[in-house]
Structures are given as structure tokens and as C-alpha cells.
Amino acid sequence: MFNKISLTRFLYVDHGGVVRGKAAATDRLAERVESGIGHTRAMMAMSMVDELAPVEGMGPVGEVRIKPDTSTFVRLPYAPGAAAMLADQVNPDGSAWDGCARSFLKQAIAELAAEGYELQASFEPEFTLGRHEGASLLPIDESLCYSATGFHLAHDYTIDLVDALHQQGLEVEHYYPELGHGQQEVPIRHASALRAADNHVLLRETARAVAIRHGLWASFAAKPLPEQAGNGAHLHASLWAGGSNAFADAAGRYGLSAVGYHFLAGVLAHLPGLVALTCGTVNSYRRLAPQMWSGAFACYGPDNREAAVRICSPIGSLGSVNLELKPIDSTGNPYLALGAFIYAGLDGIRRSLSPGEPVLVDPAVLDQPERDRLSVVRLPASLRAALDALEADSLLMSALGPLRSTAYLAVKRSEVEHFRVNDLEYECRRHWLTF
Ligand code: GLU
Ligand code: MG
């Protein structure tokens, strides 16, 4: 009935973490794929509350084109008559624009390739399923963590969600109702880094759109309901070279190779600044707290779910060894988050950094002398502090480049200020409406 596509959305993610775009009508699609759709540069200075931060080069004057990557074309099962592609933002002459987030990830992937590696990544996104009633988000259930009752209560929605994801080529690994009221988790199978970030955008879009068609609301906000468990999007990652997992080494401690330890050490060294990108909203820091299983301390351990980085024990073959980053949620820009994660790990490889000793207990129970001995640091407790740490991180700042880093800090600092003068209820509402 809806075989005909009338509109194709060209989607990108801005510095506020918001998925935005423009749609091309089918008659003009071929032309627009070539030229991109004209767009103001200012949108990369727009915050998650649609306030324009003052950024030189992102004002009312100046043009970019939203140029789709045709390999990402998908019909949207939840929007009959529509399709979508993930897009870059390019200069009018077609060259890469240094404010484009997706191009940043491509740049990181290219640097990693120059060292002989490819990153495979997957996200484990959690979200709150509820009803959007007046000013409130009411979770669909009060079911218990992984409970069979939770499966029953969300069943019609989750079957439609999984079908819609499969139709877009996303391979669902698992599904389960999680700890918080109405909380759902849908991990997608790992893919190369760019595809993994694109998939994460498609997942966010699909979870919300299918919810709307069920009269429901899906929120990926990190802490939409302050008294409930937060929504993370743990990142699983491994480096591959010559068709095998370069993180796997049967002789390595916990099965992790020397290169894996260097990468891990780079991530830990840059984590205080990195979280400004992986936990990108004011609301993220209500989730990123001790004993929330969100990895609030910069340390690592084998299957330690309170450490910021968990060395995941292999399932099946040794080749499945991977690192899991916990301090990450779905409100950041996934292209910036994954790109910066790569740069941090790459720095560890290039400088042969060591991550020190593993932490084998919940780091929150260690006393300060013990934390000092193990170099365990509490990650920033607010977006404001994380942005300061990012600004002080010369490697991440120079990887981002002057325009992107200036714009990101300006946008996010404007959000810090916006929410500073408002109350908790307002903060949560703006976040669950937006994410
Ligand atoms: N909801 C927890 C978080 O915010 C994660 C729980 C888990 O899956 O381990 O990261
Ligand atoms: Mg989970």
C-alpha cells in the first residue's frame, strides 16, 4: 500500500545530541543526493532547548549542505511513505566541513586504520517506556528487573520494535525489561564504528516512533525519572586487525592483549574529559553516580560492573573479548562520543600506556588511600565539571579541532546555564521530551 516513498529524511545529530534533518521529496531526490540540502551552519550551535549559542562561524551567515550517505538508505517501517539516510554536513563545494560530527568519527576511524586497526562497536541502549500525559512521563509498568511480567506488559510494543529494527537491517541481539520502572534494553549486534553509530541513531528514532504509534513515549534521557534507575548505553568495543580480534590473547591477563591494555589505559587517562561527550547532558550526571552500575570511577576490572571499563569475559570463543565502557548514555552525539573514544584509546596505544592494577571490588567501597594507591578517580559529577575537563584535555580538543570544540563547549555550557536556573522537574521533563 505504501510502496511509494514520498519523502526521504536526511538525518544528522547536532552538538546538543538531538537528531535533526530535512527531507527531500522523491522527484528531487537524485539531485539532492548529489548536492545535499542547504542548511544553516548555525544549527550546530543550537542547544537541546533550541537556544543558539554564540559561536563564530555558526551565525546567520554561512551555508552547509546536509549530504546523505546513500549506503545508509532505509525505508522507515514506522513512517509509511518515508525513508531515511544518515548524513554528513559538507561545505557548499562538497568538501568536509570541520563542524560535522559524523566526519569527526570518520577522521578517527581513518587514524585508527593508519595504525592497522578497525573498531567494532555495539551499544546496549536502555530507555524508559511510558505514557506522555500532560507534564508527566508515566512508566508503563512497575515490573521487576528482567521479570517475566515485564515481558508481558511491554510485549506488543517490543515485537513491533524488533520487527521495525530488523526491517532496517539492525540485528537485535537481545531484549529484556530492566531495573527501572518501564525500562527496556535492546542491544544491537556489533558493527564497524561508523555503522554502529548510525545504527544507534536509527535505534533511537525507531524506539520513539514505534512508541508514538502505540500511544506511548520512549525516552533515552539518562535519568528521566529521578527516583528510578538511569538509562545507559554501554559501549562494547574491540579492535580488529587482519580478520581477528586484536584485543584477544589467551596468554593475556583476563584474555586481554597488550594492545587491549594500552587502549584501555588511553581511555582511562582521557575519561574525565571524554565523559563530556559520552554523557552529554546536564541530566546525564544524575545517572553517572556511585553504585548506579554506571561506572562513576575511572578504573577497570574483569566483569566489574561498577568500574568505568569492564573487561568482558569471552562468551564462546576467546575472540569475543571486548571492553565495555559504562559512563555513556544515549543523550550524547554518538559520532563525537565514539570518535573521541577512538582517539583516547589510540593515544594509549601510541604511548604504550599501562592502566595499572585492576579493581576487583565496587570502587565506591574503597577508602581514599586505597583509591589513591590504585589511581581510582571519581569522574566529573556534573556536566559543567566534565566540560572543564574536556577543555583541559589537549589531545581531545585538538582531535575535535577549533570549530567543533568551541561550538561543543559553547552549546553545552549554555545548557548548563539554562538548567542551573530551573528546577529538577523542568530538567527531567525537557530531557525526556527531547531524548
Ligand atoms: N542502568 C544502568 C546504567 O545506567 C546499567 C544497568 C546494567 O545494565 O548493568 O548504566
Ligand atoms: Mg542494562
Side-chain angles (χ1 to χ4, degrees), residues 124 126 146 176 178 185 234:
E124 277 185 7
E126 296 167 335
Y146 305 121
Y176 28 85
E178 259 255 31
E185 178 167 328
H234 303 168

Side-chain angles (χ1 to χ4, degrees), residues 100-174:
C100 170
R102 196 166 180 269
S103 303
F104 172 68
L105 176 54
K106 288 187 194 173
Q107 171 195 311
I109 290 168
E111 288 219 18
L112 192 59
E115 300 285 336
Y117 299 111
E118 186 217 341
L119 185 104
Q120 285 282 317
S122 84
F123 291 95
E124 277 185 7
E126 296 167 335
F127 61 94
T128 303
L129 187 63
R131 289 194 174 73
H132 175 175
E133 282 184 19
S136 304
L137 175 64
L138 307 174
I140 52 149
D141 63 31
E142 297 184 8
S143 68
L144 305 178
C145 192
Y146 305 121
S147 80
T149 302
F151 280 91
H152 302 318
L153 291 168
H155 179 78
D156 290 352
Y157 169 78
T158 49
I159 291 296
D160 279 358
L161 174 62
V162 169
D163 286 349
L165 292 169
H166 278 152
Q167 285 176 52
Q168 294 168 83
L170 274 72
E171 197 181 329
V172 173
E173 283 264 17
H174 304 116

Side-chain angles (χ1 to χ4, degrees), residues 9-15 17-22 39-44 46 64-67 85-89 97 99-102 201 204-205 333-335:
R9 301 175 189 176
F10 295 7
L11 300 175
Y12 68 93
V13 186
D14 71 8
H15 281 140
V18 181
V19 184
R20 303 190 193 243
K22 289 184 173 178
H39 202 45
T40 168
R41 293 175 173 213
M43 286 309 291
M44 284 308 272
M46 196 69 119
V64 285
R65 306 264 189 265
I66 311 175
K67 186 149 171 25
M85 289 186 263
L86 282 317
D88 295 333
Q89 293 174 81
W97 180 48
C100 170
R102 196 166 180 269
V201 177
R204 275 176 56 184
E205 286 293 287
N333 180 311
Y335 303 104

Side-chain angles (χ1 to χ4, degrees), residues 52-401:
L52 201 53
V55 179
E56 209 184 315
M58 291 185 183
V61 181
E63 187 79 351
V64 285
R65 306 264 189 265
I66 311 175
K67 186 149 171 25
D69 177 340
T70 52
S71 72
T72 65
F73 181 91
V74 280
R75 287 171 175 269
L76 298 178
Y78 52 79
M85 289 186 263
L86 282 317
D88 295 333
Q89 293 174 81
V90 301
N91 290 311
D93 67 5
S95 60
W97 180 48
D98 49 10
C100 170
R102 196 166 180 269
S103 303
F104 172 68
L105 176 54
K106 288 187 194 173
Q107 171 195 311
I109 290 168
E111 288 219 18
L112 192 59
E115 300 285 336
Y117 299 111
E118 186 217 341
L119 185 104
Q120 285 282 317
S122 84
F123 291 95
E124 277 185 7
E126 296 167 335
F127 61 94
T128 303
L129 187 63
R131 289 194 174 73
H132 175 175
E133 282 184 19
S136 304
L137 175 64
L138 307 174
I140 52 149
D141 63 31
E142 297 184 8
S143 68
L144 305 178
C145 192
Y146 305 121
S147 80
T149 302
F151 280 91
H152 302 318
L153 291 168
H155 179 78
D156 290 352
Y157 169 78
T158 49
I159 291 296
D160 279 358
L161 174 62
V162 169
D163 286 349
L165 292 169
H166 278 152
Q167 285 176 52
Q168 294 168 83
L170 274 72
E171 197 181 329
V172 173
E173 283 264 17
H174 304 116
Y175 156 74
Y176 28 85
E178 259 255 31
L179 177 62
H181 291 174
Q183 192 179 64
Q184 318 291 323
E185 178 167 328
V186 186
I188 302 298
R189 188 159 179 79
H190 63 84
S192 61
L194 186 63
R195 182 70 206 263
D198 287 342
N199 282 350
H200 191 56
V201 177
L202 293 176
L203 173 93
R204 275 176 56 184
E205 286 293 287
T206 307
R208 172 153 294 179
V210 172
I212 290 170
R213 289 173 79 82
H214 279 259
L216 299 170
W217 192 253
S219 172
F220 288 83
K223 201 82 166 172
L225 308 168
E227 70 288 359
Q228 293 295 324
N231 291 319
H234 303 168
L235 168 65
H236 289 261
S238 52
L239 289 190
W240 288 69
S244 58
N245 183 352
F247 277 3
D249 180 354
R253 197 176 187 187
Y254 313 121
L256 188 68
S257 67
V259 81
Y261 277 102
H262 295 323
F263 191 95
L264 161 55
V267 169
L268 291 179
H270 293 285
L271 204 48
L274 182 60
V275 292
L277 299 160
T278 58
C279 299
T281 52
V282 167
N283 186 248
S284 295
Y285 293 80
R286 294 191 192 281
R287 163 186 173 261
L288 186 56
Q291 305 198 306
M292 298 281 181
W293 297 46
S294 58
F297 290 92
C299 61
Y300 78 99
D303 285 336
N304 186 340
R305 289 180 165 80
E306 277 291 352
V309 183
R310 166 187 167 215
I311 300 176
C312 299
S313 52
I315 298 179
S317 71
L318 184 68
S320 64
V321 163
N322 66 86
L323 296 177
E324 178 183 26
L325 180 72
K326 300 269 182 189
I328 177 164
D329 63 50
S330 294
T331 65
N333 180 311
Y335 303 104
L336 296 183
L338 206 44
F341 175 78
I342 289 174
Y343 274 105
L346 202 46
D347 186 46
I349 292 176
R350 285 176 174 158
R351 295 198 287 139
S352 298
L353 296 181
S354 159
E357 283 301 298
V359 171
L360 305 176
V361 296
D362 175 355
V365 306
L366 298 174
D367 58 19
Q368 197 55 49
E370 190 58 4
R371 270 189 218 145
D372 292 344
R373 189 184 72 78
L374 292 164
S375 305
V376 172
V377 210
R378 171 74 167 95
L379 289 169
S382 67
L383 181 59
R384 178 196 293 268
L387 292 168
D388 290 347
L390 175 61
E391 193 170 26
D393 188 318
S394 54
L395 178 110
L396 293 181
M397 290 295 282
S398 104
L400 287 165

